[in-house]
């Protein structure tokens, strides 16, 4: 029978199937970070259980770590609770025999950036992490999704997850992207179309020419925000771009094993006559750069748009949410997006903290200056991204333009460390969530691509990057 | 986990759509290494003013809703992050049941693992229950998982669907890990098979 990519990976990982269709899905890779794991390890300890396959687990501290140089190591993290959480992770990985990239390791960084960088993420795998943006790894044709802490404990103990099969949706993006339009604009435009719940219950496969033409970095950006559309996982079939990215990565197979793996990976695509539960198509050539105005990722508009009125929506809940978002964001309905002034700029996160993202922002910033009214920072997604960027001289471009060049971590994507907006501050951010308080109490977030963030930094307001 | 028993109590209306996990438990409270004690921080940014005093506009701060056990919510409740701190916080607050037209997938699964029952119903049923919930302490509801029904304050009964296995686990308070470990042989066999088929993994 014809199968979708999701069907193929799913079928290859069923370790047990109950009569009612509930499956034990075998998990090939598990990534662990400090925020969602302590209670899972505590659970194991309390019940006297072990980690079943420690070699399939990789741990890193990313959410809480400062982005100032970690002189003095973990013991010097000022915030008590953050320090305790990182220390708890360090103790747990030791006790349970799990590999850990410590806070001085060049390979450290945001969990979803370091997995692919190391070749820990490979096509056809099942991958989980106690973090909803695990969908990122789907860019490699791996079935990857976020799980809760109870499930983290379940995977640690059994290397499986109790799952029922999701529905399957394909989003096809036809044509090529116009200049100045990026993977971030694609993924936000999809959410604008489907809504934040449109993908609920689905695994999404992204296809079409515009997706094929993306680099691995761009594909990761697209899959990263699958969860913002409600989908637990996003998938892109692996191809030559994928294999070229992975070849030579530290954990990727080598020699004969590589050839054998590639042969297998080439079978990972959706068969021609396979059926999806839902199909959506979009035309890439019609896209222009976009930005969010409100407090949900579905509040996205092309940059030449205007902020909506609550009455633009029929649904009462949506009207209420729109009014609430306008109040929270301090915006007038009807104003142009390009008239929205900003105070801060954040370039980073697992959505847009990779080398290509920094290159895109730097290309706009080269020879230009950040507006006087704007405070801008760039947080590379990993130690390796930072190193490569410095080799390419990107740090100099950022610093010359007036950006603060920081150490890797999640940083102001969720503001659990010291990098936070102050109440009322408005930020153009390359991250993935614009929820109330996401970047700091009463902080206001506008989601944009790295190039758009750089453009906003220069102009002091949201701007169409194509006008720079 | 405690066994889930019939819940009778006050239901609070939260018609806002897309109540996300950052609203349910803001990230500054994720820095705990324990599961318990998060109830005081649940819905913190809607529930408290900046100076820490209660915001009387927030439903759970209002007289009649102090002992809420059931939430009737707008679409797509629990969207956002995978943080299980969200159901931990809601459960710690004494809430046992959440009723909405839809839930985010991860949050939905997390509820069952923490003894909370999420119920999905069509919009017209939600509208009825929302009206009942607006009547506060005068209008308690009863949620009976065994018979899969919600009894409204005026005696009306609404039926709901639920996955049989999830229902069984909630009612019995079963631990997933223990259940899975009983299938260890299947996992061993699977690993052996994979070692041959995809040795690079
Ligand atoms: S960068 Fe942001 S979205 Fe990504 S893992 Fe960190 S906190 Fe989550």
């Amino acid at each position: 029978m014809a199968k979708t990519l999701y069907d193929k990976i799913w079928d290859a990982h069923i370790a047990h199937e109950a009569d009612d269709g509930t499956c034990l899905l075998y998990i090939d890779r598990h990534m662990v970070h400090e925020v969602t794991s302590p209670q899972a390890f505590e659970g194991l300890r309390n019940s006297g259980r072990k980690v079943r396959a420690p070699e399939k687990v990789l741990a890193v501290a990313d959410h809480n770590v400062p982005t100032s140089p970690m002189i003095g190591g973990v013991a010097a993290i000022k915030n008590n609770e953050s320090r305790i959480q990182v220390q708890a992770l360090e103790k747990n990985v030791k006790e349970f025999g799990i590999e850990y990239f410590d806070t001085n390791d060049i390979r450290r960084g945001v969990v979803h950036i370091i997995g692919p960088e190391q070749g820990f993420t490979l096509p056809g795998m099942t991958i989980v992490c106690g973090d909803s943006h695990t969908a990122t790894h789907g860019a490699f044709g791996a079935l990857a999704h976020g799980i809760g802490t109870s499930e983290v404990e379940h995977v640690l103990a059994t290397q499986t997850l109790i799952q029922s099969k999701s529905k399957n949706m394909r989003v096809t993006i036809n044509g090529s992207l116009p200049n100045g339009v990026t993977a971030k604009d694609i993924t936000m435009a999809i959410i604008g179309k489907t809504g934040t719940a449109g993908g609920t219950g689905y695994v999404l496969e992204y296809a079409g020419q515009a997706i094929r033409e993306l680099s691995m970095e761009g594909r990761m950006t697209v899959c990263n925000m699958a969860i913002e559309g409600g989908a637990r996982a996003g998938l892109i079939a692996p191809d030559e771009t994928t294999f070229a990215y992975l070849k030579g990565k530290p954990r990727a197979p080598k020699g004969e094993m590589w050839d054998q793996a590639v042969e297998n990976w080439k079978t990972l695509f959706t068969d021609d006559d396979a059926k999806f539960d839902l199909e959506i198509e979009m035309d890439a050539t019609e896209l222009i750069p976009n930005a969010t105005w409100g407090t949900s990722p579905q509040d996205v508009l092309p940059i030449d748009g205007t902020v909506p009125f609550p009455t633009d929506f029929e649904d009462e809940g949506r009207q209420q949410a729109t009014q609430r978002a306008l109040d929270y964001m301090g915006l007038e309905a009807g104003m142009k997006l390009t008239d929205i002034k900003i105070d801060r700029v954040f370039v980073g996160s697992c959505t847009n903290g990779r080398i290509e993202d920094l290159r895109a922002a730097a290309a706009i910033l080269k020879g230009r200056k950040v507006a006087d009214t704007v405070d801008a920072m760039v947080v590379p997604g990993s130690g390796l991204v930072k190193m490569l960027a410095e080799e390419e001289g990107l740090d100099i471009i950022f610093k010359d333009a007036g950006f603060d060049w920081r150490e890797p971590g999640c940083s102001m994507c969720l503001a659990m460390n010291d990098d936070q907006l102050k109440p009322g501050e408005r930020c153009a951010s390359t991250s993935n969530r614009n929820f109330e308080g996401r970047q700091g109490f009463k902080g206001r977030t506008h989601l944009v691509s790295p190039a758009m963030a750089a453009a906003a930094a220069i102009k002091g307001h949201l701007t169409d990057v194509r006008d720079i | 986990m405690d066994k889930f028993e019939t819940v009778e109590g006050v239901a609070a209306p939260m018609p806002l759509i897309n109540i996300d996990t950052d609203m349910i438990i803001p990230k500054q409270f994720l820095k705990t290494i324990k599961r318990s004690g998060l109830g005081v921080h649940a819905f913190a940014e809607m529930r408290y003013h900046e100076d820490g005093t209660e915001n009387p506009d927030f439903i759970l701060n209002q007289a009649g809703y102090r002992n809420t056990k059931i939430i009737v919510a707008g679409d797509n409740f629990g969207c956002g992050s995978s943080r299980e701190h969200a159901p931990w916080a809601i459960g710690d607050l004494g809430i046992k049941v959440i009723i909405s037209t839809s839930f985010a997938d991860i949050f939905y699964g997390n509820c069952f693992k923490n003894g909370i029952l999420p119920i999905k119903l069509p919009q017209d049923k939600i509208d009825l229950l929302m009206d009942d919930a607006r009547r506060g302490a005068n209008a308690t509801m009863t949620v009976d998982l065994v018979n899969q029904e919600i009894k409204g304050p005026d005696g009306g009964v609404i039926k709901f669907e639920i996955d049989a296995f999830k229902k069984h686990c909630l009612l019995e308070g079963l631990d997933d890990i223990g259940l899975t470990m009983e299938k260890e042989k299947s996992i061993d066999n699977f690993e052996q098979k994979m070692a041959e088929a995809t040795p690079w993994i």
Side-chain angles (χ1 to χ4, degrees):
Chain A
M1 210 185 77
K3 288 181 173 186
T4 65
L5 174 55
Y6 173 50
D7 294 335
K8 289 181 183 175
I9 303 176
W10 174 270
D11 291 351
H13 286 86
I14 299 173
H16 181 273
E17 183 163 3
D19 296 337
D20 67 353
T22 310
C23 291
L24 275 185
L25 197 67
Y26 192 81
I27 301 302
D28 296 318
R29 294 284 186 266
H30 184 187
M31 309 201 61
V32 169
H33 66 81
E34 79 277 25
V35 177
T36 54
S37 69
Q39 294 86 351
F41 285 112
E42 178 193 52
L44 289 181
R45 213 173 280 126
N46 290 344
S47 50
R49 288 172 176 142
K50 286 204 208 28
V51 174
R52 181 181 169 99
E55 72 284 2
K56 297 183 178 176
V57 190
L58 179 62
V60 74
D62 56 0
H63 284 61
N64 261 313
V65 295
T67 56
S68 45
M70 290 270 286
I71 300 160
V74 175
I77 299 180
K78 276 194 238 95
N79 182 293
N80 261 333
E81 291 163 307
S82 294
R83 189 182 60 252
I84 290 169
Q85 228 172 28
V86 178
Q87 285 171 334
L89 180 64
E90 299 203 322
K91 170 170 168 276
N92 288 330
V93 293
K94 216 184 239 159
E95 181 178 337
F96 290 94
I98 291 168
E99 185 173 6
Y100 170 63
F101 293 170
D102 71 33
T103 52
N104 287 314
D105 195 313
I106 187 76
R107 299 168 299 174
R108 80 192 182 284
V110 182
V111 64
H112 309 308
I113 293 197
I114 66 170
E117 247 172 25
Q118 293 301 315
F120 189 70
T121 301
L122 296 173
M125 284 180 163
T126 46
I127 302 177
V128 295
C129 172
D131 186 286
S132 57
H133 292 96
T134 310
T136 313
H137 307 262
F140 291 81
L143 180 60
H145 56 243
I147 55 177
T149 299
S150 295
E151 289 175 317
V152 170
E153 186 180 338
H154 191 277
V155 176
L156 287 172
T158 70
Q159 206 57 35
T160 64
L161 201 58
I162 303 172
Q163 286 268 288
S164 319
K165 203 169 172 190
S166 301
K167 287 181 287 183
N168 208 181
M169 182 193 319
R170 177 160 62 188
V171 183
T172 306
I173 316 288
N174 296 313
S176 293
L177 283 178
N179 266 344
V181 185
T182 66
K184 182 68 164 287
D185 301 299
I186 298 184
T187 199
M188 294 212 295
I190 296 170
I191 298 160
K193 184 165 170 145
T194 61
T196 47
T200 303
Y202 288 94
V203 163
L204 236 67
E205 180 173 345
Y206 300 97
Q209 186 184 351
I211 299 291
R212 286 283 137 238
E213 288 173 0
L214 289 176
S215 65
M216 286 319 294
E217 283 85 354
R219 293 180 190 186
M220 285 188 253
T221 302
V222 169
C223 289
N224 175 274
M225 288 187 70
I227 184 70
E228 259 57 64
R232 219 170 166 182
L235 283 171
I236 295 175
D239 58 13
E240 292 303 327
T241 307
T242 320
F243 310 148
Y245 176 98
L246 285 171
K247 192 154 191 174
K249 290 278 185 284
R251 298 272 197 116
K254 308 262 165 355
E256 250 176 63
M257 197 75 98
W258 168 262
D259 299 333
Q260 196 187 339
V262 171
E263 276 317 299
N264 175 286
W265 296 342
K266 284 183 175 165
T267 65
L268 297 172
F269 56 84
T270 290
D271 296 333
D272 280 343
D273 36 2
K275 288 265 175 300
F276 285 86
D277 300 291
L278 188 63
E279 295 240 29
I280 291 181
E281 291 197 38
M282 282 174 70
D283 185 354
T285 61
E286 285 174 4
L287 291 176
I288 72 164
N290 53 29
T292 62
W293 63 269
T295 52
S296 163
Q298 75 188 13
D299 298 338
V300 64
L301 288 172
I303 187 66
D304 60 5
T306 53
V307 175
F309 290 85
T311 48
D312 292 351
F313 303 96
E314 274 181 20
D315 176 76
E316 195 197 332
R318 188 83 196 263
Q319 287 184 354
Q320 210 186 345
T322 302
Q323 186 58 52
R324 186 181 167 92
L326 286 172
D327 295 343
Y328 182 87
M329 294 297 288
L331 296 174
E332 296 288 333
M335 74 186 287
K336 284 196 198 149
L337 285 193
T338 48
D339 286 341
I340 297 175
K341 292 207 175 54
I342 53 151
D343 312 300
R344 305 277 297 266
V345 169
F346 171 67
V347 175
S349 88
C350 60
T351 315
N352 283 129
R354 283 171 285 269
I355 188 69
E356 189 179 276
D357 303 311
L358 303 197
R359 285 180 193 141
I364 302 293
L365 291 170
K366 193 162 189 183
R368 298 195 173 90
K369 292 269 180 231
V370 170
D372 290 344
T373 49
V374 174
D375 180 2
M377 68 194 291
V378 49
V379 180
S382 71
L384 290 171
V385 169
K386 181 168 186 265
M387 188 175 78
L388 184 56
E390 288 173 353
E391 279 168 22
E392 294 181 11
L394 303 183
D395 57 325
I396 307 292
I397 298 177
F398 278 109
K399 285 191 243 175
D400 282 352
F403 266 76
D404 196 4
W405 180 251
R406 313 285 298 180
E407 294 292 321
C410 293
S411 179
M412 211 160 69
C413 174
L414 93 164
M416 269 186 91
N417 68 357
D418 291 337
D419 307 335
Q420 306 192 358
L421 297 180
K422 295 192 199 69
E425 270 188 333
R426 188 182 297 285
C427 180
S429 176
T430 67
S431 53
N432 43 52
R433 288 201 173 129
N434 50 351
F435 296 160
E436 292 181 16
R438 173 75 178 185
Q439 293 194 293
F441 184 64
K442 298 237 188 276
R444 295 160 170 167
T445 303
H446 296 276
L447 301 175
V448 289
S449 74
M452 286 283 282
I458 295 165
K459 293 287 186 187
H461 54 82
L462 295 182
T463 304
D464 189 336
V465 61
R466 298 170 305 172
D467 297 340
I468 298 267
Chain B
M1 206 168 67
D2 291 342
K3 292 183 179 180
F4 188 94
E5 288 170 6
T6 296
V7 175
E8 189 186 346
V10 174
M14 292 197 183
L16 191 66
I17 60 168
N18 294 331
I19 293 186
D20 60 59
T21 50
D22 284 66
M23 289 187 196
I24 297 170
I25 184 79
K27 73 230 153 211
Q28 59 270 36
F29 307 114
L30 306 186
K31 295 186 182 182
T32 169
I33 55 172
K34 298 256 175 299
R35 285 174 207 249
S36 55
L38 285 166
V40 293
H41 306 305
F43 302 106
E45 289 177 3
M46 297 194 269
R47 188 163 152 207
Y48 304 110
H49 290 303
E50 251 158 275
D51 62 4
T53 57
E54 285 188 356
N55 178 350
D57 293 342
F58 184 64
I59 187 79
L60 300 182
N61 288 336
Q62 293 168 12
Y65 291 103
R66 293 269 169 190
N67 295 315
T68 294
K69 289 192 180 158
I70 302 164
I71 290 176
V72 185
D75 299 347
N76 200 25
F77 190 89
C79 60
S81 88
S82 64
R83 63 187 68 156
E84 202 157 318
H85 308 70
W88 293 338
I90 287 178
D92 202 46
L93 204 56
I95 308 249
K96 299 270 183 219
V97 180
I98 308 168
I99 310 173
S100 175
T101 52
S102 59
F103 295 86
D105 285 340
I106 303 180
F107 178 83
Y108 185 77
N110 280 340
C111 283
F112 288 99
K113 300 189 188 330
N114 292 282
I116 296 173
L117 171 63
I119 301 177
K120 290 186 223 176
L121 287 174
Q123 189 68 51
D124 57 328
K125 300 284 188 317
I126 294 292
D127 292 343
L128 286 176
L129 292 172
M130 196 71 80
D131 286 342
D132 287 339
R134 290 201 168 98
R135 290 156 56 191
N138 308 327
T140 57
M141 291 182 198
T142 306
V143 177
D144 175 353
L145 176 57
V146 176
N147 295 307
Q148 297 181 211
E149 57 187 34
I150 304 168
K151 279 200 204 74
D154 306 321
V157 170
I158 293 173
K159 287 276 189 188
F160 61 88
E161 294 298 319
I162 185 148
D163 176 82
F165 179 68
K166 290 200 162 88
K167 173 178 172 179
H168 173 70
C169 290
L170 262 189
L171 287 173
E172 299 300 323
L174 291 178
D175 160 21
D176 281 349
I177 299 180
L179 287 172
T180 298
M181 286 203 151
E182 290 170 10
K183 300 174 188 127
E184 208 167 2
K185 197 94 207 99
S186 307
I187 305 174
D188 292 342
N189 291 342
F190 182 87
E191 278 181 342
Q192 266 172 16
K193 205 178 77 192
M194 286 302 268
E196 283 167 35
T198 53
W200 59 88
I201 291 181

